[in-house]
Amino acid sequence: MKTPRRLEPLVEDGLIDEVLRPLMSGKEASVYVVRCGDSLRCAKVYKEASKRSFRQAAEYQEGRKVRNSRQARAMAKGSKYGRREQEEAWQNAEVAALFRLAGAGVRVPKPYDFLDGVLLMELVTDAEGDAAPRLNDVTLDADEARRHHAFLIRQIVAMLCAGLVHGDLSEFNVLLGPDGPVIIDLPQAVDAAGNNHAFSMLERDVGNMAAYFGRFAPELRQTRYAREMWALYEAGRLTPETPLSGTFVEAEEAADVRAVLREIEAAQREEARRQAQRQAEDEPRGNREEPPPPWLQ
């Protein structure tokens, strides 16, 4: 096929030898099957912000690191520079998440390179070597549903232990390879500790999995893994191997007002520290080098 314009620089640089065929086109990117030497890989080409249907909602961006306070202010104001920086940060988020999660043992496509808005990564295939189907495209029996659900719950736990929540997990963002489910599409992944919406997103992700697999094994719809794992995470007791029951009992004791006030004071001190850091960053940079990209930090 004719090489798409956005992939031409990667072909010229020798990162891609041949573009074979389009694989899919989604709300945020188009994906192509490419040949790199003797290997088949995916090239994910991010769409321009004006052509995407997925909105970079504020709740997804909360807690994400930026290079300096100038960049943060520009992104908040929505200036031309700010929109460009916001777009770069949005794309970098998926690359950083893939490297972090792959390093933590989470089953995600292996990332290889990222250049000019194109992510080069592993092509997930089925047992016959064809592109793996999404969960939404397969029919399962009850035992398969229970097995895949249990595996994905462990993957969500591993992600949380690595400090991330997917934020948009559903049967449309999971591929079914010969070794089981593979989680994809992570540009909206959020920092579990730094985002106030992290728990609600985790609860939605886990709920989506229960709803989908519950079509084949109805008892899965009654599980409450999200609240259970979040309570363990907040208590510092969650590990990738922590056994879960799928049940959760709400605490009935009265709220500890003093503890709440201590949390507020701690948050105020942290905000003061961040403001001081931002002021320091606004000082002349001199000959300081730019920091490495987020997926290498």
Side-chain angles (χ1 to χ4, degrees), residues 157-210:
V157 168
M159 290 178 65
L160 188 54
C161 290
L164 292 176
V165 173
H166 187 287
D168 192 34
L169 189 62
S170 72
E171 63 269 28
F172 299 98
N173 291 330
V174 178
L175 302 178
L176 191 56
D179 298 323
V182 181
I183 296 172
I184 62 171
D185 292 341
L186 289 148
Q188 71 293 314
V190 301
D191 186 310
N195 190 302
N196 290 323
H197 305 277
F199 170 66
S200 63
M201 293 182 187
L202 174 73
E203 192 169 37
R204 184 176 62 202
D205 287 351
V206 174
N208 286 342
M209 293 295 94

Side-chain angles (χ1 to χ4, degrees), residues 78-100:
S79 65
K80 183 177 180 180
Y81 167 75
R83 291 193 300 272
R84 185 173 67 248
E85 291 295 304
Q86 190 174 64
E87 184 68 12
E88 180 181 344
W90 184 254
Q91 296 174 7
N92 285 343
E94 177 161 38
V95 184
L98 283 172
F99 274 99
R100 185 194 296 192

Side-chain angles (χ1 to χ4, degrees), residues 38-106:
D38 296 329
S39 302
L40 295 183
R41 294 177 180 172
C42 276
K44 182 172 184 176
V45 182
Y46 291 93
K47 295 180 179 179
E48 298 175 5
S50 60
K51 298 179 180 178
R52 287 201 311 260
S53 60
F54 191 95
R55 298 185 182 277
Q56 298 180 26
E59 59 263 30
Y60 288 102
Q61 299 177 49
E62 181 181 308
R64 288 187 175 177
K65 295 179 180 179
V66 294
R67 285 195 293 267
N68 52 54
S69 57
R70 174 174 176 263
Q71 183 191 36
R73 288 195 302 270
M75 291 168 66
K77 291 178 180 178
S79 65
K80 183 177 180 180
Y81 167 75
R83 291 193 300 272
R84 185 173 67 248
E85 291 295 304
Q86 190 174 64
E87 184 68 12
E88 180 181 344
W90 184 254
Q91 296 174 7
N92 285 343
E94 177 161 38
V95 184
L98 283 172
F99 274 99
R100 185 194 296 192
L101 294 177
V106 178

Side-chain angles (χ1 to χ4, degrees), residues 98-295:
L98 283 172
F99 274 99
R100 185 194 296 192
L101 294 177
V106 178
R107 187 64 180 96
V108 295
K110 181 179 179 180
Y112 292 106
D113 212 332
F114 179 62
L115 178 68
D116 295 335
V118 178
L119 172 60
L120 199 59
M121 59 184 172
E122 172 191 2
L123 173 65
V124 181
T125 60
D126 60 16
E128 286 71 41
D130 298 320
R134 296 180 300 180
L135 273 181
N136 186 61
D137 298 324
V138 301
T139 300
L140 306 171
D141 61 36
D143 287 339
E144 289 174 327
R146 295 185 190 103
R147 185 171 67 254
H148 292 325
H149 178 262
F151 177 82
L152 282 167
I153 289 296
R154 300 314 313 178
Q155 295 295 288
I156 293 171
V157 168
M159 290 178 65
L160 188 54
C161 290
L164 292 176
V165 173
H166 187 287
D168 192 34
L169 189 62
S170 72
E171 63 269 28
F172 299 98
N173 291 330
V174 178
L175 302 178
L176 191 56
D179 298 323
V182 181
I183 296 172
I184 62 171
D185 292 341
L186 289 148
Q188 71 293 314
V190 301
D191 186 310
N195 190 302
N196 290 323
H197 305 277
F199 170 66
S200 63
M201 293 182 187
L202 174 73
E203 192 169 37
R204 184 176 62 202
D205 287 351
V206 174
N208 286 342
M209 293 295 94
Y212 172 74
F213 289 111
R215 301 178 194 172
F216 313 103
E219 73 276 8
L220 296 177
R221 297 174 182 169
Q222 308 305 317
T223 55
R224 303 188 70 190
Y225 284 106
R227 290 185 177 274
E228 182 183 13
M229 67 177 73
W230 188 258
L232 291 167
Y233 171 74
E234 286 192 312
R237 293 163 45 203
L238 186 69
T239 72
E241 295 78 30
T242 300
L244 300 176
S245 66
T247 60
F248 183 77
V249 178
E250 299 284 355
E252 297 181 356
E253 64 270 16
D256 186 340
V257 177
R258 291 184 178 179
V260 173
L261 291 175
R262 287 196 295 270
E263 290 290 335
I264 293 174
E265 291 171 356
Q268 290 173 337
R269 289 194 296 271
E270 175 63 15
E271 179 59 25
R273 184 192 66 78
R274 290 178 179 176
Q275 289 182 1
Q277 183 178 0
R278 285 196 291 267
Q279 290 175 356
E281 290 174 346
D282 282 340
E283 295 177 357
R285 296 177 59 86
N287 295 322
R288 286 186 292 171
E289 296 182 355
E290 285 290 325
W295 58 91

